[in-house]
Amino acid sequence: MESVLSECVQNSLVNFMHYNAIFLCERLCAHFPSETNMQLLARCYLQNQQAYAAYHVLKGTSMPLSRYLFALSCFQMGLLTEAETTLCPPDEPAEVPNGAAGHYLLGLIYRYTDRRNSSIQHFTQALLLDPLLWAAYEELCILGAAEEAAAVFGEASLLFIKKKHLYQGNQSQNLQASTDDQNVASRNIVSDDISPRQSKHTHSNNLREISGNYNGAAAIQNLGGASTNMSFYNTPSPMASQLSGVVPPPVCRNFQQNGTNASVAGADNSPRSTVNSTIQAPRRKFVDEGKLRKISGRLFSDSGPRRNSRLAGESTGNTNSNASAASGNGTIHSSKYYGSSKLSSMTLRSMTSRKAQSWATENYGEGVRNDIPDDFQLNMTVPHPSEDARPIEQEGAGTSTSGVNVSSTSILSGASEILALFRILGEGYRLGCLYRCQDALDVYNKLPHKHYHTGWVLSQIGRTYFAMVDYLEADHAFGLARLASPYSLEGMDVYSTVLFHLKEDMKLSYLAQELVSTDRLAPQSWCAMGNCYSLQKDHETALKNFQRAVQLNPRFAYGHTLCGHEYVALEDFDNAIKSYQSALRVDARHYNAWYGLGMIYLRQEKFEFSEHHFRMALGINRDSSVIMSYLGTALHALKKNEEALEVMELAIVADKKSPLPMYQKANILVSMESFDAALEVLEELKEHAPRESSVYALMGRIYKRRNMYDKAMLHFGVALDLKPSATDVATIKAAIEKLHVPDELEDEL
């Protein structure tokens, strides 16, 4: 009952019938309350998203797998301390249960409790135990501690997989060998169960039935008018010979097929074959064929010497009778030819090649004993069953060994291909997490076409372009990802932000509706919806959508960051700081949160704090021109103009298309009263951003400082024509009103 219920539970889990699996497993645990069955019940609950139920089922258990499942339940319930205590008991140092999966779970616990070094240690250990555990390498990349993919997925990993496969192959071979031994022993026991008394009873019944059928067959033949050879009816039945301990002679099918004995080849149309077919039916009726094979196999092992002595004693007396039988059948045989060693060896090879059937079955099925002369029987060597079985065992062993070798070779070849693929994917992902964006793109371009055009890879490429502030290319990559995997939500939160920056309100609205209809419980769906409302300047509704995303997944760092952005738009800086800090608790390398905190402190004129947070963000994403630009602004506010100019130069080199660092550089030069250098920068900037009103407004201020009022008025007018924001309009109009007022008096006013 236990095995049946357990198998039914497993089958229900495989077919995703979780309710049925839980019901059956509860019956199993009620009838057989063992810890192993409790583990199975906990698995049912966990797969049905009922971690709380698995928690109560496994509480207090001690087996390694039970500890792992209990810790997993605690992790899903947010009980990280209890999960850690279960995996690593403080009082009794024990090995982490469940191998690589246990170390991976413990690494996640340490990561979410801000213990980076311990987390890295366990993720690394998980990779050592399972080189194909991609999730562990991904976590190391997120933490910024991953080694190069060529080292992680290299020759050492291939050797480990090889040793692991060989060990599993040896284990399976040993298990198969033990199973075969048990089967042989069980067959011997079954054959020994037939007592001599039962054999004698079966023998007598079959003799009576066979003799009755002989008479019936003769009557049928006489009614049909066919001539019969009565000497054939004096031939002992194969059934009787087997049950009497005498082995029937072997039958040579290859010899008949070669056409040497024409009468035997055409025996199917003879009365003899008709009688034989009549004899076979009652044998199956009174003696089960499986039992007959077992009986004949048991008797056959001791029949070699008796058969040889019988043949030696009967060879002289049976020669004439066999010759007359042969002449009666219309065939002429040469006993000298049949007794040749060449033909005997050929026939022997043909018999030993038929390993799928036993000797007793072949003789029993053919029923043509007297078709072969006794001279041939005398000169032919019959192998002992043990000799005949030996090649079968050797052949089976060779096949098994070669099968393992082929399987081992194919698995090693497959593992090598997987590791080669992981080296490219892993290196691209690692470089992407380190924000070495161009290098990551170059690595992804090495992927085969069928892997490059998958949703996951295209989403990573889109993220990389987003980090490079190349929103057009990011939009293109994410669009291809949507075409490749329209059901996937990977990277769709970033895609919605890309559309937000491109001000593609129609595409963003369509994307948000598609994602919500695909999965309403995914945080990416609500991030897209929030960006849609934020683009429409409805920041309160956008904030509610971002909060919904965080509620669905509290460990979704980007959701916390987007909440912070909306709080900043609503000028609620205290809650914005809390949101950014929540994002950093989830992911300390989430540079967007560091950048958001720096912007808040910059607006609050806390320039030291602003510089610190911008440097933290720049330490993570070293190629971001936006972060460099605002860091330079903070340094300029701290009167560190030389250092600020150096940072601005780096920002311009990092992204020559971005107007922000050039504009900030011009501002710094104006504050240093380097008007000519500032005008050169702004003239170059006009080529890149011809419709940027702030550029013309700054040029107007420079011309005013140089008392060139006509040019100043011209540039102020152009700035107003470009329809700047309301705040900028007020600033430009105030500058026009004070156009002829000296700067010293303007500061006093």
Side-chain angles (χ1 to χ4, degrees):
M1 178 179 177
E2 183 176 10
S3 60
V4 173
L5 278 176
S6 178
E7 184 178 355
C8 290
V9 172
Q10 297 284 359
N11 186 55
S12 297
L13 290 177
V14 168
N15 292 288
F16 303 99
M17 297 186 295
H18 297 136
Y19 175 78
N20 190 62
I22 291 173
F23 177 81
L24 293 176
C25 203
E26 286 177 348
R27 308 284 75 74
L28 176 65
C29 293
H31 205 280
F32 303 98
S34 65
E35 187 169 336
T36 304
N37 293 334
M38 293 295 180
Q39 294 172 3
L40 184 57
L41 180 59
R43 285 177 51 203
C44 296
Y45 283 132
L46 286 171
Q47 292 193 27
N48 200 38
Q49 306 298 323
Q50 293 178 267
Y52 53 88
Y55 173 88
H56 290 288
V57 167
L58 294 175
K59 192 173 182 63
T61 53
S62 58
M63 291 178 64
L65 183 58
S66 300
R67 289 167 50 207
Y68 172 77
L69 294 175
F70 182 75
L72 184 60
S73 304
C74 294
F75 180 81
Q76 293 184 5
M77 295 171 65
L79 305 175
L80 300 184
T81 303
E82 191 170 358
E84 178 187 354
T85 305
T86 303
L87 292 175
C88 295
D91 300 333
E92 301 177 0
E95 185 178 357
V96 177
N98 209 25
H103 283 282
Y104 173 74
L105 178 59
L106 194 56
L108 289 177
I109 294 171
Y110 284 137
R111 178 192 166 192
Y112 292 137
T113 52
D114 296 327
R115 286 175 284 180
R116 182 175 181 271
N117 293 333
S118 298
S119 178
I120 292 171
Q121 177 183 354
H122 284 281
F123 286 139
T124 305
Q125 184 64 27
L127 270 177
L128 291 176
L129 295 175
D130 185 0
L132 299 182
L133 186 57
W134 169 262
Y137 186 76
E138 195 172 278
E139 292 294 335
L140 288 173
C141 292
I142 293 173
L143 291 171
E147 299 180 15
E148 292 186 4
V152 176
F153 304 111
E155 292 297 328
S157 298
L158 184 60
L159 291 176
F160 181 85
I161 295 173
K162 178 180 178 180
K163 292 180 180 179
K164 183 178 179 181
H165 170 68
L166 291 177
Y167 173 77
Q168 292 177 349
N170 292 333
Q171 291 292 103
S172 62
Q173 282 185 347
N174 294 335
L175 180 62
Q176 182 66 28
S178 63
T179 305
D180 293 341
D181 293 341
Q182 292 175 0
N183 292 337
V184 171
S186 63
R187 285 197 297 268
N188 293 334
I189 293 172
V190 172
S191 63
D192 292 340
D193 288 341
I194 302 178
S195 63
R197 182 177 180 181
Q198 292 172 334
S199 177
K200 182 178 180 181
H201 179 69
T202 307
H203 180 196
S204 60
N205 289 338
N206 283 289
L207 285 179
R208 287 194 298 269
E209 181 66 18
I210 291 169
S211 62
N213 279 294
Y214 273 22
N215 297 330
I220 293 172
Q221 295 295 334
N222 292 330
L223 287 174
S227 62
T228 59
N229 188 355
M230 297 306 294
S231 64
F232 173 76
Y233 295 106
N234 296 327
T235 304
S237 167
M239 178 70 70
S241 65
Q242 289 176 3
L243 295 180
S244 62
V246 180
V247 180
V251 179
C252 305
R253 288 182 183 169
N254 288 356
F255 170 68
Q256 298 169 6
Q257 292 171 359
N258 289 335
T260 307
N261 190 344
S263 64
V264 176
D268 291 340
N269 297 325
S270 65
R272 188 175 305 164
S273 62
T274 307
V275 175
N276 286 333
S277 63
T278 309
I279 293 173
Q280 289 177 1
R283 291 176 194 162
R284 289 191 293 269
K285 177 179 179 182
F286 282 87
V287 180
D288 183 70
E289 188 174 353
K291 292 183 179 180
L292 179 61
R293 292 180 182 178
K294 295 169 186 175
I295 297 169
S296 62
R298 180 169 58 85
L299 297 175
F300 187 76
S301 61
D302 299 329
S303 63
R306 290 197 298 271
R307 180 181 185 279
N308 293 335
S309 61
R310 181 182 65 82
L311 290 176
E314 295 178 355
S315 60
T316 305
N318 289 339
T319 304
N320 296 330
S321 62
N322 285 324
S324 62
S327 61
N329 288 331
T331 58
I332 300 174
H333 302 295
S334 172
S335 61
K336 181 178 180 181
Y337 179 77
Y338 283 126
S340 63
S341 60
K342 180 178 180 181
L343 183 59
S344 299
S345 61
M346 179 187 69
T347 310
L348 179 60
R349 284 196 300 271
S350 68
M351 288 186 296
T352 55
S353 65
R354 295 161 55 196
K355 297 180 176 64
Q357 299 178 353
S358 65
W359 286 98
T361 307
E362 292 180 3
N363 297 326
Y364 172 66
E366 291 291 334
V368 289
R369 177 189 175 200
N370 282 328
D371 291 342
I372 302 175
D374 283 350
D375 291 341
F376 177 67
Q377 297 174 6
L378 286 171
N379 292 316
M380 186 172 59
T381 304
V382 180
H384 193 271
S386 61
E387 297 174 357
D388 189 44
R390 192 177 300 114
I392 301 176
E393 295 174 358
Q394 293 175 357
E395 182 179 345
T399 303
S400 176
T401 305
S402 63
V404 171
N405 290 336
V406 171
S407 177
S408 176
T409 304
S410 62
I411 288 181
L412 290 179
S413 176
S416 179
E417 293 178 3
I418 293 173
L419 290 174
L421 178 63
F422 274 25
R423 282 193 289 271
I424 301 176
L425 292 173
E427 188 64 15
Y429 190 80
R430 184 184 74 90
L431 293 173
C433 290
L434 294 176
Y435 298 101
R436 293 168 54 182
C437 300
Q438 190 58 51
D439 294 337
L441 292 176
D442 294 339
V443 172
Y444 282 131
N445 286 330
K446 298 178 182 178
L447 283 171
H449 182 271
K450 55 187 175 183
H451 286 286
Y452 184 89
H453 290 278
T454 56
W456 187 87
V457 174
L458 291 171
S459 296
Q460 298 305 318
I461 293 173
R463 287 177 181 271
T464 304
Y465 280 120
F466 172 74
M468 296 171 68
V469 202
D470 192 345
Y471 297 130
L472 291 176
E473 289 294 333
D475 180 21
H476 178 67
F478 279 120
L480 292 177
R482 288 286 294 168
L483 291 176
S485 302
Y487 50 84
S488 176
L489 302 181
E490 176 69 31
M492 291 300 103
D493 49 336
V494 179
Y495 185 28
S496 64
T497 304
V498 169
L499 296 178
F500 171 85
H501 286 295
L502 292 175
K503 295 180 170 48
E504 295 279 358
D505 52 349
M506 293 294 293
K507 290 178 66 175
L508 180 56
S509 177
Y510 178 75
L511 175 66
Q513 293 181 16
E514 284 289 309
L515 295 180
V516 171
S517 63
T518 300
D519 189 357
R520 294 182 61 86
L521 300 180
Q524 294 90 342
S525 303
W526 296 102
C527 285
M529 191 66 72
N531 277 323
C532 184
Y533 282 108
S534 182
L535 184 59
Q536 298 172 6
K537 307 300 181 182
D538 189 353
H539 298 295
E540 292 182 355
T541 306
L543 179 60
K544 291 179 181 179
N545 284 277
F546 292 139
Q547 288 173 339
R548 172 62 174 161
V550 172
Q551 182 184 16
L552 289 170
N553 186 2
R555 299 190 181 101
F556 188 54
Y558 195 50
H560 291 287
T561 299
L562 292 175
C563 285
H565 292 343
E566 294 306 310
Y567 278 123
V568 169
L570 295 171
E571 296 187 353
D572 187 353
F573 297 127
D574 292 337
N575 284 322
I577 291 174
K578 292 179 181 178
S579 295
Y580 290 136
Q581 290 174 345
S582 298
L584 291 175
R585 277 193 293 270
V586 175
D587 183 5
R589 298 188 72 253
H590 190 62
Y591 78 93
N592 307 77
W594 290 107
Y595 165 79
L597 288 171
M599 290 297 295
I600 290 176
Y601 292 128
L602 185 63
R603 292 183 62 175
Q604 292 179 342
E605 297 184 356
K606 298 178 181 179
F607 301 119
E608 293 84 357
F609 288 171
S610 178
E611 178 192 358
H612 168 73
H613 287 85
F614 283 135
R615 288 191 183 278
M616 291 295 295
L618 189 62
I620 299 169
N621 188 355
R622 298 181 180 276
D623 295 331
S624 175
S625 62
V626 177
I627 298 175
M628 292 180 189
S629 300
Y630 284 107
L631 175 60
T633 303
L635 292 172
H636 170 59
L638 291 171
K639 308 300 182 183
K640 301 178 181 179
N641 293 327
E642 296 297 332
E643 188 177 357
L645 284 176
E646 292 178 2
V647 173
M648 291 301 176
E649 290 292 341
L650 293 175
I652 293 171
V653 173
D655 187 3
K656 296 180 180 180
K657 297 179 181 179
S658 177
L660 180 60
M662 298 182 70
Y663 179 78
Q664 296 292 355
K665 179 182 177 181
N667 263 326
I668 295 172
L669 291 173
V670 169
S671 66
M672 297 172 65
E673 296 186 354
S674 299
F675 299 122
D676 293 335
L679 285 174
E680 290 180 3
V681 173
L682 291 173
E683 287 292 340
E684 183 181 356
L685 182 57
K686 283 169 59 177
E687 301 295 330
H688 297 289
R691 300 189 61 81
E692 188 64 43
S693 62
S694 58
V695 175
Y696 294 94
L698 182 57
M699 293 180 72
R701 286 174 52 197
I702 293 173
Y703 285 123
K704 177 188 175 184
R705 295 281 296 272
R706 299 182 66 178
N707 298 323
M708 301 171 67
Y709 300 116
D710 294 338
K711 288 188 176 182
M713 189 63 192
L714 174 64
H715 285 84
F716 282 140
V718 173
L720 288 175
D721 291 339
L722 293 175
K723 298 180 180 180
S725 62
T727 304
D728 292 338
V729 168
T731 303
I732 294 171
K733 287 183 177 181
I736 293 174
E737 292 175 358
K738 300 175 183 178
L739 182 62
H740 298 283
V741 178
D743 293 336
E744 297 80 6
L745 296 177
E746 183 178 351
D747 294 337
E748 294 178 1
L749 295 175

